[in-house]
Amino acid sequence: MTSEFVSVVDIVGSIREGKTTASDVLEQHLARIDKRETEIHAFNHVMAESARANAASIDADLKAGKERGPLAGVPIALKDNMCTRGVPTTCSSKILEGWKPPYDATVVTRLQQAGAVIVGKTNLDEFAMGSSTENSAFGPTRNPLDTSRVPGGSSGGSAAAVAAGFAAASLGSDTGGSIRQPAALCGVVGVKPTYGMVSRQGLVAFASSLDQIGPFTHTVADAALLMEVIGGHDPLDSTSLDQPVPSLTAVLGQGVKGMRIGRLADMPDGCEPEVLARLDAAFAALKAAGATIVDIALPSLSYCLTAYYLVAPAEASSNLARYDGVRYGLRVESADLISMYGATRAAGFGAEVKRRIMLGTYALSAGYYDAYYGKALKVRRLIANDFAAAYQSCDVILTPTSPTVAFPIGEKTSDPLTMYLCDIFTIPTNLAGHAAMSVPFGTGAHSMPVGVQILAPALGEPTMFRVAAELERAS
Amino acid sequence: MSNASSAPSHATILPNGWEMVIGLEVHVELDTKTKLFSASPNHFGDEPNTNIDPVTLGLPGALPVINRRAVELAIRLGLALNCTVQASTFHRKNYFYQDLAKAYQITQYDQPINIDGFMMLPGDVRIGIERAHLEEDTGKSTHFGGTSGRIHGSDYSLVDFNRAGVPLVEIVSRPDIRNADQARQYVSELRSILLAVGASDAKMEEGSMRCDVNVSVRKAGEPFGTRCEIKNVNSIRAVGKAIDYEARRQVDVLESGGTIRQETRHWDDSEGRTHTLRVKEDADDYRYFLEPDLVLLDPGTEWVESIRASLPVLPAARRAQLSQLTGADKESEAVYVIVERGQDDYVQLVADAGGEPARALVYVQQAFSEAGSNPAVPAKDLAGLTLLERDAKVTATQAKTILSEIVANGGGDAGAIAAAKGFEALDTSAVEAMVDAAIAAQPDAWAKYCGGEEKAMGALVGAIMKSSQGKADGKVVTALLQKKRG
Amino acid sequence: MSPSSDAKTTPKITAQVVAKVAHLARLDLTEAELALMTTQLTGMLDHFGDIDKLDLSAVTPMAQPFPIKNVYREDVVVPGLDRQEVLDNAPAPQDGRFRVPPSNGSES
């Protein structure tokens, strides 16, 4: 896998060795932003001034012999649903336009402590609801490889920022595939960690039992490094796993000899033939490297979309109720409180967000809970059971990340259900709470990148990264 | 505030065989340093919005983490109410209001931490406690404009979130209460228990204990009637008044052919009546679901039993012990008052110093209403006085005087004080002589008394007390007169 | 998936129900939005009726991925937010508090 851009690992090394400075590295990235950002619109907010000050301070410290951490000088972009103190955090929604949080998300603090230089907040589907970044209230992001096409979503801005060289790495969030799918569509690496491995404190919640933060990078080694920096127990997140991140960088060279790679015997319809061809090539590469292929079944797979589109909106309808115009964000002044609520939320939320709030409210409401939300939680148990059974006979599972390559802007926006089908391969992992990542593996139709998804059981990151590294070598 | 069943009952008796059925929901603020789900101070009376954090304000991205001490206090409270402590979960109760920052309250729903308890009231009345669960408090709104500072007709409200997130335990009784007296006793005893285990300072006037009262009526033997919930009941006294009013109101409605609407009503203490706050026709749809940001709370047998072992002796047990020590009825006013004040340990000290316990109880009740749980008078001094009175060396009246002096001086030798004041009780034979003299001097009064006129004794007793210059013990005189009459 | 089995287990979503749900969610929808929402939600729920085929009677619900328990915080004060910073980002701060229009008595 080659990239025209320098990896995080190489940036860190070059700065440490004095071959370049944090400021110089930053200026290269800012120059690329200057050149193409208008066209691509990866960012809601570019933080050039604070980034320059930060880079300068890092350079000064390093010159004085002071350590600044494992990511010292690395320009990183953050999806605009992670709280950054004093810096607008909008979730690409009018209801939070201009809102500046009075506190930082845990991952932001960890990145800063590691010496990262935050270059900006990236565009997303509003409140992370979408698969194309076309639901942003501030305009879509375009795929850097073909600006007539979507970058994927909901973390489209973060994927595009890395693909376009605006940042050496970025963070996104993944609830049903929102890191992995844009990673595949933009030709970069994207990781959704095991649920609880990365703190959600300061991540604006979409669906609390499904959300995870993860990295976008050019290389698998970069992703491993980012995971090691941002992951690990956080006492401020009750759902965060009580253990440190497993060692990932160290295992990357261990190969896949003797591993069992699961292949879905029953593939869902709708995959482009080139995507399936790339998947086959991936299996072949792993086999050549000493792994065995095992056919597995996930009988509940086809029901996952339904389960997800009942569970996630239900939790979201509750998580988004706080946007009421009382304490922060948009307010439409009215004569009484109820009118204020109704008018504020009508003006502040876009169509997809409203749709999911309605769906979720309905699924939870009296008389309908058992038929919808209650059932969906049981389907969730079924898919978890399916995975448990499958992982008896394999170590990881390989699927396409997305059934198609990046599609044209506007192609799937007329019918919400069409858009939802983008996530059929990614959703099951979120429901089960497992780990998964997308690795670029060649191109498909229209010369657009294809991503292969590696699924692993909970805490299976080391195995997953070993497979990813092998695929990267072979791609 | 008396709990004794012997105290006169002011509770309404309903006419025509109607019976009132009462359930109480009491919210108590736990006495922790920080809030239930975040580390801001749990402190009353601070400048508005100075005890805030992302969780309190419901900021985007904020996550709750439960306060271990709040869990511990909830368990203490539950055990003191004879509950079963179990593994429990939290749910979101979703609704919109200005003082609810997240637009949902984190509370406990179908699996609460404490269930199936009870409290005993005087007369061996058992009130079941359905549950006592943890939940977070809301912020506080102040309404402006309009006429009465109440919300109807106000121009705007200002919201303070200092109180938002304060840990609450909601204690729900079963509908076992049958009159206003029992309701007041329940609240009063609950307060004593809360103070004893250190769970809350339970001050209704500060809002750290809040009562909602559920009232319905029925004819004895019939199923439960429709109930109304009464809010804004801000004192123990108001609990009784509101119940009496509401029960009577419901009976009046039913007897005139109407039906009771299930609703929430507001108690107006100045007017002494309830009125409709909101009707529950369109039952609130709270869309409860499991709180995904929290995990199972499973304290485990070891922790629960260690908490149980660390509980102090509870008020009911202390009253029983005091009753055993002094011979006074465990439901008597004296016993309730002494335990309420925390002075039962002191009475024990007086007994340990050789004092006569029954008299010690009386003295402590009389003398130490403001003294707190540790009266500053050496127990042996009080002990000495009890023995003087027991041995009839001073009269009851004289003992009272000596007691006042001992208290005023922070101590003193009862015998020396008695001597200094020239107090001495006459011995029985001297008193008997005076009794015989009085009988001889007032033959008419004596005849009337022997004939059954109890009041005639008064003239005889009065004469004896006067001639003895107070040195005759009134009880002894009376006993002798009764004995001589036969 | 026959219509009759749908009718048994999948309640129909009418415009009236949608309006009620919109009120629960405090979303003011225009007439056009209401109509479109009714159509779209109906379509989605029809699609989601696929789970009615499954026998879920013996399945326990799964609300969270892992059986974590007992995550506590010690009862120690940690400095919170600066009030001014919060109020500077509030729509209607007044007297150190958040101003809102009258609610006319109804809680929710």
Side-chain angles (χ1 to χ4, degrees), chain A residues 103 200 202 238 318-319 327-328 366, chain B residues 57-58 60-61 64 94 101 285 293:
Chain A
Y103 79 110
R200 291 183 298 117
S238 299
S318 177
N319 284 328
R327 290 144 288 115
Y328 49 83
Chain B
L57 291 179
N94 298 281
D285 185 356
D293 291 331

Side-chain angles (χ1 to χ4, degrees), chain A residues 59 72 80 91 95 106 138 144 179 210-211 263 284 294 300 320 346 352 356 371 409 416 456:
Chain A
D59 284 332
D80 200 17
C91 301
I95 218 165
T106 296
F138 308 134
I179 290 175
L210 302 167
D211 294 342
R263 174 171 57 195
V294 178
S300 313
L320 268 62
E352 182 63 31
R356 296 203 196 188
I409 289 175

